Amino acid sequence: NTFLLAHYQHVQYFYDLCYEVVMVVWAEIPFISNPIPNGFDNAISQMKELVIQNYNHPSIVVWGLSNEITIGGESEKLVEQHKTLNKLVKELDPTRLTTMAQVSMLKTTSEMNHISDVISYNHYFGWYGGETKDNGIWLDNFHKENPNRCLGVSEYGCEAILKWHSSNPDMGDYTEEYQSYYHHQLLETFRTRPYLWATHVWNMFDFGVDMRDEGGVKGRNNKGLVTYDRKTKKDSYYLYQAYWTTTPMIHIASKRYVNRCEDVTKVYVYSNQDEVSLYVNNKLFETKKCDKVVLFEVPLNKNLKIVAKANGISDKSFIKKVDKPDNSYILEKSNTGVTNWFDKDGNEVKLTFNEGYFSIKDKIKVIQEDEQAGKVFQAFMDKFVEIAKSQGMELPTGILKMMGSFT
């Protein structure tokens, strides 16, 4: 029941739609990433305009001061600028809360987390690095260290492109199956942590980004639950229906993954009903209890017509038995992995990896634990921190402990 309107001014028509369908709104200004030199006056101007122009919109609950503003590091100047923005908003509108969307690398003890009324973090553990389980670990750690701070998740997500599929999805493969796995894990993480004030999935729709070139698609961020043209709902969209809606629904995942060669294939069904029955080639295969997601493991020795039924509703799918993997479903993996959007040089470089040497494929924890490599890595980090401090920035060195599972 909430929209994060990121990261710029939005048309009034959209606010009116939010009011019409009773959605809670987080509205924010484009004070983002690395502050523009001498650009703070513009941030002040935009904050005034945002609040004054939209003060009477009842859907707005929080005013956003900034997004991932510490990507370039922390500084006393940045802290003071946010205190100024927060004070300004409180003077213009004492009735609403203020918030910030922090970047993962910002340390949990940062003063930046104690300026606005509430805060949220943008986390992509399980996509840009780490594992999906790291999200819950991080959230619990923050909550333990800051039990009186109201914490949320302002961005989380991963990319899926409709033509890529796998029976064994993995981080960075851009398959619909991995995106569904990721969102299922995150929804379970949030469901079991009631202390979160809000969570915002990134993003409802695929959207254009000029410098991106990922997953075989140029100029696009593919994290949407729905395609760029707003026409096709990805499997993850129906996963959210199962979790968030009460109107009876059922959906068989991976319909676009038709050609399969395994002896036993996995059939995932999403539903908000308590029980699901699966029919295979017109015969009842199995009935199972359902808690949003139910898995059926079906022998695949011939073509399969699949029908899932629950409480008078149904969905159908078709699986074709083939002799070998269909390579048209598989994205040829790049050695460079998933690219962060803030990496300015998006040019792909073909890399070679020699036996007996560490590389960017190895996890930080493994490198740190090696006697020789650990010293080299720590020396690099110490120099990095020293340079940052000389430029007035305090970098979150403690993040390395959390990043142990990152490459």
Side-chain angles (χ1 to χ4, degrees), residues 37-241:
N38 304 316
F40 188 61
D41 286 345
N42 181 269
I44 289 290
S45 175
Q46 292 213 42
M47 196 83 250
K48 286 180 179 178
E49 291 172 357
L50 181 71
V51 176
I52 293 170
Q53 291 174 7
N54 298 289
Y55 179 87
N56 289 318
H57 272 285
S59 287
I60 297 175
V61 171
V62 288
W63 302 112
L65 306 180
S66 63
N67 176 80
E68 294 188 341
I69 200 67
T70 56
I71 279 180
E74 298 178 66
S75 67
E76 281 300 318
K77 181 180 180 181
L78 202 57
V79 169
E80 290 306 313
Q81 286 177 335
H82 281 76
K83 288 181 178 178
T84 299
L85 281 173
N86 194 68
K87 183 174 181 289
L88 171 64
V89 172
K90 289 301 183 182
E91 290 171 351
L92 293 172
D93 181 9
T95 69
R96 290 183 177 93
L97 301 175
T98 57
T99 189
M100 296 168 64
Q102 312 286 33
V103 67
S104 276
M105 294 85 77
L106 181 68
K107 60 186 179 181
T108 58
T109 56
S110 171
E111 187 177 357
M112 293 290 286
N113 286 329
H114 298 275
I115 297 173
S116 57
D117 295 315
V118 300
I119 62 162
S120 286
Y121 264 76
N122 297 349
H123 284 315
Y124 289 95
F125 305 124
W127 183 242
Y128 289 127
E131 302 173 52
T132 55
K133 66 180 181 181
D134 294 333
N135 292 279
I137 294 170
W138 190 98
L139 292 169
D140 290 340
N141 180 58
F142 183 98
H143 186 56
K144 182 179 179 180
E145 293 180 356
N146 303 274
N148 297 318
R149 288 300 287 150
C150 199
L151 173 68
V153 179
S154 35
E155 286 186 29
Y156 66 95
C158 78
E159 303 201 32
I161 296 169
L162 296 184
K163 64 181 178 180
W164 306 134
H165 298 280
S166 175
S167 296
N168 299 291
D170 193 19
M171 184 176 76
D173 65 9
Y174 294 87
T175 63
E176 256 192 297
E177 287 72 28
Y178 184 78
Q179 188 190 51
S180 295
Y181 164 80
Y182 171 95
H183 282 288
H184 184 206
Q185 297 302 307
L186 269 291
L187 282 165
E188 284 300 299
T189 297
F190 301 150
R191 182 160 73 160
T192 54
R193 287 165 175 82
Y195 58 77
L196 296 172
W197 76 273
T199 61
H200 293 94
V201 56
W202 191 266
N203 195 296
M204 180 57 126
F205 304 103
D206 292 345
F207 59 97
V209 183
D210 178 59
M211 64 182 177
R212 276 188 178 264
D213 182 4
E214 293 188 42
V217 177
K218 292 181 182 293
R220 189 170 300 169
N221 187 314
N222 304 286
K223 291 189 183 72
L225 305 180
V226 181
T227 54
Y228 183 77
D229 59 8
R230 275 62 172 167
K231 292 181 179 180
T232 305
K233 298 166 184 173
K234 302 178 188 179
D235 284 334
S236 295
Y237 177 96
Y238 295 98
L239 185 63
Y240 281 86
Q241 272 199 342

Side-chain angles (χ1 to χ4, degrees), residues 199-383:
T199 61
H200 293 94
V201 56
W202 191 266
N203 195 296
M204 180 57 126
F205 304 103
D206 292 345
F207 59 97
V209 183
D210 178 59
M211 64 182 177
R212 276 188 178 264
D213 182 4
E214 293 188 42
V217 177
K218 292 181 182 293
R220 189 170 300 169
N221 187 314
N222 304 286
K223 291 189 183 72
L225 305 180
V226 181
T227 54
Y228 183 77
D229 59 8
R230 275 62 172 167
K231 292 181 179 180
T232 305
K233 298 166 184 173
K234 302 178 188 179
D235 284 334
S236 295
Y237 177 96
Y238 295 98
L239 185 63
Y240 281 86
Q241 272 199 342
Y243 272 83
W244 288 355
T245 65
T246 55
T247 301
M249 63 79 56
I250 192 168
H251 174 78
I252 300 174
S254 298
K255 287 190 182 74
R256 283 171 278 271
Y257 183 27
V258 176
N259 299 331
R260 308 186 197 183
C261 66
E262 58 263 25
D263 294 328
V264 176
T265 194
K266 295 178 180 179
V267 177
Y268 285 95
V269 179
Y270 309 151
S271 181
N272 55 10
Q273 301 301 291
D274 295 331
E275 193 174 82
V276 170
S277 295
L278 194 77
Y279 291 80
V280 178
N281 292 337
N282 300 317
K283 294 182 180 180
L284 177 63
F285 175 74
E286 193 174 2
T287 297
K288 282 189 171 184
K289 296 292 182 182
C290 179
D291 184 14
K292 316 305 181 187
V293 177
V294 60
L295 167 63
F296 296 94
E297 295 184 289
V298 182
L300 182 57
N301 48 27
K302 57 183 176 181
N303 295 345
L304 304 178
K305 176 186 175 183
I306 305 290
V307 178
K309 296 182 179 181
N311 199 23
I313 56 175
S314 65
D315 192 25
K316 60 184 179 180
S317 183
F318 178 78
I319 299 171
K320 183 178 180 180
K321 173 67 174 178
V322 294
D323 295 330
K324 58 183 180 180
D326 186 339
N327 290 329
S328 68
Y329 292 137
I330 303 169
L331 170 67
E332 183 178 347
K333 279 202 170 184
S334 161
N335 285 329
T336 56
V338 176
T339 303
N340 282 293
W341 73 266
F342 42 80
D343 289 339
K344 292 182 174 61
D345 184 1
N347 296 323
E348 184 175 302
V349 179
K350 294 296 183 182
L351 303 177
T352 57
F353 300 95
N354 300 321
E355 288 292 328
Y357 292 84
F358 287 110
S359 73
I360 61 169
K361 286 187 173 183
D362 292 295
K363 293 184 178 180
I364 289 175
K365 182 179 180 182
V366 175
I367 296 173
Q368 287 177 301
E369 290 175 347
D370 182 86
E371 184 177 357
Q372 288 180 289
K375 289 179 181 178
V376 175
F377 184 78
Q378 190 58 50
F380 165 77
M381 288 308 302
D382 290 344
K383 186 66 176 177

